[in-house]
Amino acid sequence: MSILHDLFDTIEARKAEGGAESWTAKLLSKGPEKCAEKFGEEAIEAIIEAIKGDKVALTAEAADVLYHLLVMLAARDVSLEEVEAELAKRSGVSGITEKASRGRS
């Protein structure tokens, strides 16, 4: 199991348990929209660090982005396995080809 799976399992546990002691549970209790908003904020912070070229800060912000992406997925009941399956479908397919195929659906 990877650290992302471990983290997602922890997020799911906090979602089930709730409680005021957990930042994850508090964020999830505010609903999927708030989780999406927080993900967006963290993504912007990562973009800023990427533009500045600060590798250490970008690494920290990337971790925040991944965490908040997983929280957003959990808020909408999307599993990490579902995302992995989608990535597996795209494996070996040109990004240009894959993107063009989405327009035909």
Side-chain angles (χ1 to χ4, degrees):
M1 202 181 253
S2 73
I3 189 66
L4 290 178
H5 282 270
D6 292 345
L7 179 56
F8 194 76
D9 289 346
T10 299
I11 291 166
E12 287 288 345
R14 299 294 189 272
K15 180 180 172 182
E17 296 164 6
E21 298 300 314
S22 164
W23 163 250
T24 302
K26 287 169 118 176
L27 183 55
L28 285 165
S29 74
K30 294 178 181 181
E33 295 81 6
K34 184 63 176 179
C35 295
E37 178 185 323
K38 190 65 181 159
F39 169 73
E41 290 171 9
E42 296 298 337
I44 290 167
E45 290 173 11
I47 291 166
I48 291 167
E49 296 306 334
I51 291 167
K52 288 173 28 182
D54 185 332
K55 184 176 179 177
V56 172
L58 176 57
T59 300
E61 291 301 338
D64 289 347
V65 167
L66 289 173
Y67 164 76
H68 284 91
L69 173 61
L70 295 178
V71 171
M72 183 175 65
L73 292 173
R76 286 294 187 196
D77 298 318
V78 176
S79 72
L80 188 53
E81 288 78 15
E82 289 171 296
V83 175
E84 289 174 324
E86 180 62 28
L87 288 170
K89 286 191 320 192
R90 297 177 185 189
S91 180
V93 178
S94 155
I96 293 170
T97 302
E98 190 281 325
K99 187 168 182 170
S101 74
R102 287 189 257 161
R104 292 186 223 132
S105 299

